[in-house]
Amino acid sequence: RAIHYRIENGKGHGMGHIMDYGRGHKSVQMAVIVQKMVFPNASGVLFTADPLTGNRKVSVIEAVFGLGEGLVSGKVNPDVYKIKDGLCFQQVVSRKEQQVVPNRFGGVAALELPVGLQNSKVLTDEQIALLEQFGRNAEAFFGAPQDMEWGMTEEGLYLLQCRPITTLYPVPEGAIPGNRVFVSVGHQQMMTDPMRPLGMSVFRMTSVGPRYEAGGRLFVDVTENLISPDGRKYLLDVLGKSDPLIREALKAIVTREDFIKIVSEDKAGTGTSHGSGDFQIEPEQVPERLAGLIQKGEEAIEKLKWEIQDYSGTALIDFIMDDIQRLKQSLFDPQNISAILGAMNAFSWINENMFDWLGEKNAADVLTQSVSGNITSEMGFELMDVADVVRDYPEVIAYLEAAQETGKAEGFPEILSERSGGTLAMKAILTYLDKYGMRCEGEIDITRLRWSESPAALIPLLIGNLKNFEKGEHQRKFESGRQAALEKAESLIRRVRRLKDGAQKADETARRIEVLRSMIGYREYPKYSIVSRYAVYKKALLREADALFEADVIPDRESIFYLTLEELRTVVESKKCDWREISGRREAHRRYEKMMPPRVITSEGECISGHYGNRDLPKGALVGLPVSAGVAEGRARIMKSMTDAVLESDDILVTTFTDPSWTPIFLSAKAVITEVGGLMTHGAVIAREYGIPAVVGVENATVRIKEGQRIRVNGTEGVIELL
C-alpha cells in the first residue's frame, strides 16, 4: 500500500528527495512507532476543507461515540457538522445504535448504546468550535488543507493522524484578492485535459484578457460581469449557449448574497460585448468575403513557414512571441468576429422563430448539413477519399490491420511503398498529412503530438472507413446531406409563407437560411489557423530543444514542454536549466491528469456544478444539451482517446470531449454523446453537418453508460435512454 501511494501521488522516480535513484522503492526506510493508546469516548475525522465541494473555508467533522473504528468500518452512521468562520451552519445528528470499544481480551468490540444516547449529539458546540480551531492551526502549520483523525477523552483532545487532502482541485492562482468566481476555459475549448507549461503559456498569449492557472488548466475570472446586471445578462446568455451547466452554476452563485455583492443598475457598467455579429454585406457577397479572409490566413501561414527558418536562439523565441500577437490581431479582427457571430446569430434566429411560428424544434440542425467551406468536416470527408485509394490493395490493408493489432507502425506511411499499391497509398496519406498534419487530440496545447509527428494515429481512422463505407461514400454522404438541407429550407419557407404576414416572414427566413449555410462553415476556420501556426512554432522550438539537449542543458528534448515560453528564452540565453524543476513539473502534470476540472470554481475553492431543470424523463434516462436533431439507437462505445477502438456501423460514440481531430470518427458513429460541449462547440457543429444525432454536456456519461450497452440517443430533446 505504501508503494502504491507513492506512485499515485508522484513520489516515485524523479523525486530524489524521496527515493534513491539507484535503489528505487527499496531505498525508502520505515519507522516503527511505539505509542501509548488513547481510549476516547468520542472519535472521528476532521477535514479542514469540504471534501465534496472543495470549499477551503468550510470544515467538516464526522463524529461517533467510542473508537473511530465504528466510523471507518461503516458500522455506525456518524454525526456530520459543517463549520465556517467558527459557526456551525449545518449539522446532521444520526441515529447511532452502537459504539465500538476496546475489548478487555484484545481488539475491539461493538456494544449497544444506551437508548438515551442513540439520537443525541456526539459533540457539544464548544467541542465543535475547539476541533475547528485545532484543524485550522494544523492547516497553518502544514501549509495545506488537512485530513485529520482525532479522539476526545476526559483529559482533552488528541490528534491521532494528520495528512494533506490530496483530492482537492487547486484554486486558480494570481487573481484579485477577495471573493472571486472563475469559469473553466477548457470547457469552452472542448479540451479539459491538463496542459503542460509551454502549451499553457502559448495559449495564454493567444487569448485575450487575463487567464488564471489551476491544476494545469486555465480559468477566466467572471466576477466583474456577475456583479453587473447588464454584464451578468450578457455572460449568462453567451455561456448558456456554450454550456448550460456553467450558466446554471453561475446563477446559483448570484443567488448567494453573502458571496458577491450585486451592484445597482445605475452603478453598473454595460457588460462585455464583442460586437453585434452583423456581417455588413449582402448574403450573396458572403462567399467572396469569407474566401478573402481564408486566403489572408493561408498566406500568413505560408509566410510564417518561410520566415521562421531564418531564426534561432533567443531571436526565434522573440519572433514567435511577435507572431502570436499578429495571430491574435487577426483572430479578433472585427471582420473575423462578425463572420463567426453572423452565422451563430442566424442559427439562433432560425431555431427560435421556427419554434415560435411552426412549433418545430432545432430546425437549423438539418439546414447546416453539407455546407461548403468547413475545413473540419472536409477533413473527415477527405480521409474517406484516402481510404478509397487504399481499399483496392489487399497488402496495404493487411499492413494497416496488423499495425492496429500489434501497435507497431514504425516507418508509416513510407513503409507502405514496399507493398503492392503502397506507393499510391503512401502518396495519398502524405498529401492528407500535408494539409491536416497539424491536427491532434488536445491540439490547443502546442506540446501535444501532431499527426505529422505520429502518422500512425490515422491507422484506426482508415480502418474504420474501410470497414464502414463503400467506395465513393464521401460524395454520396455530402450530396445526401445537401439535398436534405435544401428540402428542409424549402419546406420551412413554404410553411412560414402561409402564416399571417407570411411573405415578409418567409423572405427573412430565406435570407437567414442563406446567411447560415454560406457562413457556418467559417466557424471552424480560426481554430484551424491557430493550430496551423502552433505546428510551425513547435517544429522550430524542437530544433532549439535538440540543440539544448546536445549541449547537455536539458535532460531530454521534451523538457522544454515543462517550461513557459518566457522561461525557455531564459534557458536558451543562459544555457542553464534546473533539472529538478523540470522533474517536479512532470510529476505535477501526472497528478493533474487524474483530476477533472470543475466548470465553475470560487476563490474559496468551492467547485459548483450546474443542473438541468426538472424534466419528465424515462426511468434511468440521462439528460444533456441537444445539439444535433434526430434519434438513433445502437451500441455504446466508450472512448477516452480516438485511438481506443475502431467504431462499427451500429456504434454510438461516448466520450469526455471531442476536438477537430475526432472529426473522421464522427462519420462512423450512429450518434455522439459527450460530457462537455455546447451548441457551437466543435462536436455540435460537425454532428449537425454530418446529420448525426448528438447530445453534449451529459455529466459523467463515460461512467454512467457502460461499454457495449444498448442506448437510444434523442438529439432533439437531449435525452439518452439506457435500454
Side-chain angles (χ1 to χ4, degrees):
R1 287 199 293 180
I3 290 172
H4 181 265
Y5 181 85
R6 286 196 295 273
I7 293 172
E8 287 295 302
N9 291 279
K11 308 299 183 186
H13 295 287
M15 300 293 283
H17 60 288
I18 298 293
M19 299 171 58
D20 177 82
Y21 281 104
R23 298 180 59 223
H25 289 283
K26 292 183 179 180
S27 69
V28 179
Q29 296 182 333
M30 182 176 288
V32 177
I33 297 174
V34 180
Q35 185 174 16
K36 180 181 177 181
M37 295 298 292
V38 175
F39 300 103
N41 48 40
S43 306
V45 294
L46 163 63
F47 301 96
T48 64
D50 190 330
L52 294 181
T53 68
N55 194 322
R56 271 61 162 186
K57 296 290 184 69
V58 174
S59 294
V60 179
I61 299 171
E62 294 185 349
V64 295
F65 290 114
L67 297 175
E69 175 67 15
L71 171 61
V72 297
S73 66
K75 294 177 180 178
V76 181
N77 290 327
D79 286 358
V80 181
Y81 312 106
K82 290 193 174 186
I83 312 98
K84 183 176 182 180
D85 299 327
L87 177 66
C88 182
F89 66 91
Q90 181 180 319
Q91 60 182 14
V92 177
V93 179
S94 301
R95 179 175 175 80
K96 300 165 286 290
E97 296 182 350
Q98 58 181 229
Q99 64 176 329
V100 176
V101 298
N103 191 322
R104 58 182 295 191
F105 301 110
V108 296
L111 299 180
E112 185 176 348
L113 267 175
V115 175
L117 287 178
Q118 290 183 2
N119 293 307
S120 63
K121 285 177 60 175
V122 174
L123 300 177
T124 65
D125 292 344
E126 291 76 14
Q127 289 172 325
I128 292 171
L130 173 65
L131 258 175
E132 191 223 6
Q133 187 57 53
F134 196 74
R136 292 299 173 204
N137 291 344
E139 181 180 72
F141 181 83
F142 290 111
Q146 297 294 302
D147 170 359
M148 307 166 66
E149 294 180 12
W150 54 270
M152 195 87 70
T153 71
E154 297 297 336
E155 291 77 30
L157 176 63
Y158 288 85
L159 173 63
L160 307 178
Q161 178 175 289
C162 191
R163 62 181 181 179
I165 305 175
T166 57
T167 57
L168 296 175
Y169 197 84
V171 178
E173 302 172 354
I176 299 171
N179 291 347
R180 314 299 295 180
V181 181
F182 305 91
V183 168
S184 165
V185 173
H187 283 81
Q188 308 298 303
Q189 291 293 330
M190 293 290 282
M191 213 291 274
T192 54
D193 288 349
M195 299 172 74
R196 295 175 180 86
L198 182 63
M200 183 84 71
S201 66
V202 171
F203 188 71
R204 284 174 97 158
M205 290 180 184
T206 311
S207 306
V208 170
R211 299 288 185 269
Y212 303 97
E213 184 177 346
R217 283 87 169 179
L218 289 176
F219 292 80
V220 60
D221 186 345
V222 298
T223 312
E224 299 305 321
N225 281 83
L226 282 182
I227 64 176
S228 156
D230 287 342
R232 182 169 64 255
K233 182 178 182 300
Y234 172 82
L235 181 70
L236 295 179
D237 180 57
V238 171
L239 292 181
K241 294 176 180 176
S242 173
D243 189 320
L245 294 179
I246 292 180
R247 177 189 61 203
E248 295 306 310
L250 293 177
K251 286 167 68 175
I253 292 176
V254 171
T255 62
R256 300 182 187 177
E257 297 179 358
D258 62 328
F259 188 75
I260 56 173
K261 186 177 180 181
I262 309 299
V263 300
S264 60
E265 287 281 0
D266 57 337
K267 295 182 180 179
T270 57
T272 305
S273 177
H274 295 293
S276 66
D278 231 359
F279 206 59
Q280 301 295 337
I281 53 176
E282 293 302 314
E284 60 270 15
Q285 296 177 300
V286 167
E288 182 181 350
R289 183 66 62 87
L290 293 183
L293 290 173
I294 292 173
Q295 182 179 355
K296 186 178 178 181
E298 297 279 351
E299 290 172 352
I301 293 168
E302 290 305 311
K303 183 180 179 183
L304 170 65
K305 289 178 180 178
W306 282 105
E307 289 184 344
I308 203 168
Q309 298 177 66
D310 297 332
Y311 294 90
S312 62
T314 57
L316 171 64
I317 311 294
D318 293 338
F319 174 80
I320 290 174
M321 289 181 175
D322 290 341
D323 192 73
I324 290 174
Q325 295 307 308
R326 289 190 286 271
L327 167 61
K328 185 157 65 173
Q329 186 176 7
S330 68
L331 290 174
F332 294 95
D333 179 274
Q335 283 286 317
N336 195 46
I337 295 294
S338 65
I340 296 170
L341 294 181
M344 294 171 64
N345 290 343
F347 182 88
S348 298
W349 187 95
I350 291 168
N351 273 344
E352 291 168 6
N353 284 282
M354 294 307 102
F355 182 73
D356 289 342
W357 297 343
L358 305 175
E360 183 164 342
K361 289 184 177 180
N362 306 326
D365 290 5
V366 176
L367 297 173
T368 57
Q369 289 187 35
S370 299
V371 299
S372 60
N374 187 324
I375 191 69
T376 306
S377 62
E378 288 172 358
M379 176 174 67
F381 282 134
E382 288 178 28
L383 194 63
M384 296 174 82
D385 295 338
V386 175
D388 283 351
V389 174
V390 169
R391 73 175 70 249
D392 292 332
Y393 303 105
E395 287 188 26
V396 175
I397 295 174
Y399 167 83
L400 295 175
E401 291 175 341
Q404 172 72 3
E405 182 72 24
T406 63
K408 297 178 181 179
E410 291 81 2
F412 176 82
E414 287 79 6
I415 198 172
L416 294 178
S417 61
E418 302 172 7
R419 290 156 177 78
S420 175
T423 300
L424 288 175
M426 178 190 69
K427 288 181 178 178
I429 293 168
L430 289 175
T431 299
Y432 185 84
L433 286 170
D434 186 55
K435 186 174 182 180
Y436 299 112
M438 80 293 290
R439 311 229 81 143
C440 66
E441 290 184 76
E443 60 190 11
I444 63 171
D445 181 351
I446 195 175
T447 70
R448 298 290 279 261
L449 200 63
R450 311 278 143 180
W451 288 350
S452 58
E453 298 172 281
S454 180
L458 297 179
I459 291 176
L461 305 178
L462 286 169
I463 291 175
N465 284 347
L466 291 168
K467 290 180 65 175
N468 297 324
F469 305 118
E470 299 294 329
K471 194 166 187 175
E473 191 68 18
H474 168 186
Q475 294 303 325
R476 284 193 293 274
K477 270 187 169 292
F478 186 86
E479 183 57 26
S480 174
R482 193 181 74 86
Q483 286 298 325
L486 294 178
E487 290 171 9
K488 187 69 171 180
E490 291 174 2
S491 172
L492 291 173
I493 294 169
R494 184 172 60 253
R495 291 159 62 194
V496 168
R497 198 174 294 279
R498 298 179 188 140
L499 303 173
K500 183 181 179 182
D501 300 325
Q504 181 180 346
K505 290 178 177 178
D507 289 346
E508 181 63 15
T509 299
R511 191 181 78 83
R512 297 281 184 166
I513 292 173
E514 189 175 355
V515 168
L516 176 67
R517 285 194 57 78
S518 60
M519 295 176 69
I520 194 67
Y522 185 76
R523 165 71 177 77
E524 292 290 304
Y525 187 78
K527 195 167 192 179
Y528 172 83
S529 180
I530 291 171
V531 297
S532 295
R533 285 171 116 117
Y534 280 10
V536 177
Y537 300 158
K538 183 182 182 183
K539 186 176 181 181
L541 290 172
L542 285 176
R543 289 200 306 268
E544 289 300 313
D546 290 335
L548 292 171
F549 175 65
E550 290 294 325
D552 203 32
V553 176
I554 55 177
D556 55 62
R557 74 194 308 239
E558 289 195 358
S559 292
I560 69 166
F561 297 163
Y562 299 93
L563 300 167
T564 67
L565 196 57
E566 297 90 339
E567 290 171 340
L568 178 57
R569 189 188 189 285
T570 300
V571 169
V572 169
E573 186 174 39
S574 66
K575 299 295 187 289
K576 294 179 182 178
C577 180
D578 186 341
W579 289 22
R580 291 174 299 178
E581 181 73 13
I582 297 292
S583 177
R585 291 182 180 183
R586 287 184 195 267
E587 296 288 355
H589 183 73
R590 280 193 278 269
R591 291 198 305 274
Y592 297 153
E593 286 181 315
K594 300 169 187 174
M595 298 178 177
M596 182 64 185
R599 283 175 163 83
V600 176
I601 187 170
T602 72
S603 50
E604 294 181 345
E606 183 179 5
C607 301
I608 301 176
S609 300
H611 301 283
Y612 294 105
N614 294 328
R615 298 170 61 179
D616 292 328
L617 300 173
K619 185 177 180 181
L622 310 182
V623 63
L625 177 67
V627 295
S628 185
V631 178
E633 184 177 317
R635 178 180 63 168
R637 294 303 303 270
I638 313 298
M639 296 179 66
K640 296 298 179 68
S641 166
M642 57 182 286
T643 59
D644 281 350
V646 175
L647 286 183
E648 298 181 1
S649 58
D650 191 45
D651 288 347
I652 292 174
L653 172 63
V654 184
T655 189
T656 307
F657 64 85
T658 65
D659 58 16
S661 68
W662 288 70
T663 299
I665 296 179
F666 277 43
L667 285 163
S668 296
K670 241 183 162 180
V672 175
I673 301 169
T674 67
E675 295 179 346
V676 177
L679 276 172
M680 284 296 166
T681 47
H682 153 76
V685 173
I686 299 304
R688 287 193 293 268
E689 177 154 349
Y690 287 165
I692 303 167
V695 181
V696 303
V698 183
E699 290 193 286
N700 299 317
T702 57
V703 176
R704 297 161 73 186
I705 300 172
K706 305 305 179 185
E707 174 71 16
Q709 187 173 19
R710 296 294 298 181
I711 61 176
R712 182 182 297 119
V713 179
N714 188 324
T716 306
E717 300 293 338
V719 175
I720 299 105
E721 294 179 72
L722 310 181
L723 306 178

